[in-house]
């Protein structure tokens, strides 16, 4: 369940000597991606302003000569000389982005612009978009050609509309300047290195920490809303496949699991797997919270020969063990 699960899927020489920038590289997905690409021999530059992440996520990579950390804000940074740019810098936690809407919109607009301008000299850009571009989707499982049902001025709009703008900007650079862009629409991913102590944690780290502390698990709304969770090694595997597969040039691809789960069932599962005595409590529903979320992944199957391999139960067990170790210092 570690980075080996990713690295073992790719041939040793694929990335040797290739220069790769990962923005948001100290974050959850970014740090796994940096680790896998570093082990695969790429010259990895991890750029992050550490606004939501912990430097511990990448400390262990500093021993590699082909790994470098750049502390910077991508909205004010102009990359140069990269073969690949993975743009992952963003604020993806709802509690976080609703509190800091401007900080959420800038990396997906100005920050992405800086990446795309640099790519006019020949880099491949992989943009990490989100299932949130579909808003409260009316078609489940949702295919890439569904246009979305999004409130453009609602509290979530700083995230979903900036990602929609980001996708449009990618396609504009692809059409006007021929920049090689690839867009991954990621559905909820989870695993070790999600911040265990964040006050603005996403649902899985929040539930796990509450369960491990035997505190009530707090559900926004009635818990009947659904999400589809993908273990991090599966997600990162798909992202690397998108980097090396020219069949996804100028394409948008859903990356997620088709195992749709009700949030209340997720809470019960985490209580069972942690052996916790926690109860479940219901709090006010979040504004514009999508009722259901589940991807159609036919396109990823066809173009990337990819589908998730780790079951929710196995992924959660591994994640819980990691969180337990964090809690025990
Ligand atoms: N994890 C998921 O479930 C998920 C789902 C859909 C989309 N995504 C997307 O994938 C990407 C990575 O998400 P994650 O889960 O790893 O989130 P994360 O919060 O762990 O990582 C994002 C990183 O970006 C950094 N960052 C934020 N603003 C920045 C800026 N202006 N300049 C430089 N760095 C900045 C943060 O410090 C953080 O390290 C994001 O773009 C997110 O929108 C993630």
């Amino acid at each position: 369940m570690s980075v080996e699960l990713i690295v073992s899927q790719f041939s040793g020489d694929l990335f040797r000597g290739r220069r790769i920038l990962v923005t948001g590289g100290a974050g959850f997905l970014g740090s796994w991606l940096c680790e896998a690409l570093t082990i695969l021999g790429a010259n990895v530059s991890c750029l992050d302003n550490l606004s939501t992440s912990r430097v511990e996520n990448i400390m262990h990579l500093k021993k590699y000569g082909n790994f470098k950390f750049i502390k910077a804000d991508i909205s004010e940074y102009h990359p140069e000389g990269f073969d690949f740019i993975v743009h992952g810098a963003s604020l993806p936690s709802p509690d976080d982005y609703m509190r800091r809407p401007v900080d959420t919109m800038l990396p997906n607009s100005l920050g992405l612009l800086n990446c795309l301008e640099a790519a006019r000299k020949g880099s491949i850009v992989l943009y990490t978009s989100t299932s949130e571009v579909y808003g409260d989707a009316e078609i489940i499982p949702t295919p890439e050609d569904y246009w979305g049902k999004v409130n453009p001025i609602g509290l979530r709009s700083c995230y979903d509309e900036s990602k929609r703008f980001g996708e449009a900007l990618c396609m504009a650079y692809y059409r006007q300047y021929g920049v090689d862009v690839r867009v991954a629409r990621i559905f909820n991913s989870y695993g070790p290195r999600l911040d265990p102590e964040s006050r603005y944690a996403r649902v899985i780290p929040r539930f796990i920490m509450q369960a491990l502390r035997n505190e009530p698990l707090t559900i926004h709304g009635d818990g009947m809303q659904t999400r589809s969770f993908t273990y991090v090694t599966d997600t990162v595997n798909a992202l690397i496949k998108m980097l090396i597969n020219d069949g996804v040039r100028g394409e948008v691809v859903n990356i997620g699991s088709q195992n749709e789960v009700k949030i209340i069932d997720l809470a019960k599962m985490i209580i069972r797997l942690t052996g916790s005595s926690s109860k479940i409590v219901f709090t006010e529903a979040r504004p514009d919270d999508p009722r259901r979320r589940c991807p159609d992944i036919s396109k990823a199957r066809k173009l990337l020969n990819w589908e998730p391999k780790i079951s929710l139960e196995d992924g959660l067990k591994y994640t819980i063990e990691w969180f337990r170790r964090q809690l025990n210092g």
Side-chain angles (χ1 to χ4, degrees):
M1 304 294 271
S2 69
V3 74
E4 266 311 305
L5 270 182
I6 308 168
V7 173
S8 59
Q9 306 287 314
F10 301 96
S11 109
D13 283 335
L14 215 47
F15 287 101
R16 198 154 302 281
R18 309 305 298 278
R19 294 154 305 170
I20 306 187
L21 174 69
V22 181
T23 78
F28 165 55
L29 292 177
S31 62
W32 280 83
L33 185 62
C34 284
E35 182 167 1
L37 292 172
T38 302
I39 294 170
L40 286 168
N43 289 325
V44 176
S45 296
C46 161
L47 180 145
D48 208 298
N49 65 359
L50 299 179
S51 56
T52 62
S53 53
R54 307 180 309 157
V55 78
E56 286 84 347
N57 286 348
I58 48 156
M59 279 303 235
H60 62 297
L61 299 180
K62 290 192 172 170
K63 66 177 186 234
Y64 293 98
N66 55 333
F67 174 82
K68 177 167 108 181
F69 177 62
I70 305 167
K71 185 165 187 299
D73 186 324
I74 188 56
S75 310
E76 295 163 1
Y77 184 88
H78 300 278
E80 235 172 82
F82 292 100
D83 300 305
F84 300 92
I85 300 175
V86 183
H87 183 43
S90 190
L91 302 183
S93 160
D95 287 331
D96 215 359
Y97 62 65
M98 290 196 248
R99 203 174 51 95
R100 295 164 57 193
V102 177
D103 298 342
T104 303
M105 298 196 78
L106 291 183
N108 289 309
S109 49
L110 272 184
L112 176 62
L113 180 71
N114 290 340
C115 297
L116 290 167
E117 271 299 310
R120 287 176 69 180
K121 294 189 182 143
S123 338
I124 293 173
V125 173
L126 174 62
Y127 179 51
T128 56
S129 184
T130 169
S131 54
E132 298 255 353
V133 298
Y134 297 124
D136 197 9
E138 294 142 310
I139 301 177
I140 303 286
T142 312
E144 288 85 351
D145 58 9
Y146 175 69
W147 290 359
K149 184 174 168 232
V150 173
N151 175 354
I153 56 162
L155 282 173
R156 302 177 82 97
S157 64
C158 57
Y159 187 61
D160 45 39
E161 288 292 11
S162 69
K163 289 287 190 184
R164 287 166 69 94
F165 172 81
E167 290 196 8
L169 194 61
C170 285
M171 295 314 292
Y173 268 74
Y174 173 68
R175 292 180 182 126
Q176 189 168 338
Y177 301 124
V179 171
D180 184 337
V181 295
R182 301 152 188 217
V183 178
R185 280 190 189 144
I186 304 170
F187 285 63
N188 298 55
S189 188
Y190 70 98
R193 296 197 200 139
L194 278 167
D195 189 349
E197 295 299 347
S198 171
R199 283 171 58 208
Y200 308 106
R202 285 168 263 186
V203 62
I204 286 188
R206 192 178 75 240
F207 281 176
I208 293 178
M209 287 307 276
Q210 288 169 332
L212 290 176
R213 290 177 167 138
N214 295 310
E215 292 168 359
L217 270 63
T218 46
I219 291 183
H220 295 289
D222 59 8
M224 301 307 278
Q225 66 273 37
T226 69
R227 295 293 182 267
S228 306
F229 296 98
T230 316
Y231 187 68
V232 60
T233 54
D234 281 327
T235 308
V236 172
N237 213 315
L239 296 180
I240 297 179
K241 285 192 164 204
M242 286 194 71
L243 284 179
I244 59 177
N245 191 323
D246 289 341
V248 293
R249 196 168 189 260
E251 296 286 343
V252 170
V253 185
N254 283 343
I255 302 299
S257 159
Q258 294 209 291
N259 177 20
E260 186 183 4
V261 203
K262 291 192 183 84
I263 292 298
I264 189 155
D265 293 334
L266 175 75
K268 288 177 185 164
M269 195 170 183
I270 289 177
I271 290 174
R272 173 171 62 79
L273 292 175
T274 49
S276 171
S277 59
S278 294
K279 300 277 176 278
I280 293 174
V281 297
F282 298 90
T283 62
E284 206 178 322
R286 282 212 180 97
D288 302 330
D289 198 24
R291 292 302 296 164
R292 292 182 66 188
R293 191 172 289 153
C294 179
D296 178 333
I297 57 166
S298 318
K299 194 168 174 181
R301 281 199 181 101
K302 186 167 156 216
L303 296 184
L304 301 172
N305 189 23
W306 175 89
E307 62 182 4
K309 293 197 165 65
I310 309 290
S311 70
L312 181 59
E313 176 135 352
D314 284 349
L316 282 177
K317 279 185 192 158
Y318 195 74
T319 309
I320 289 166
E321 278 323 302
W322 185 85
F323 273 73
R324 214 189 284 276
R325 285 200 299 276
Q326 304 301 303
L327 198 60
N328 296 334

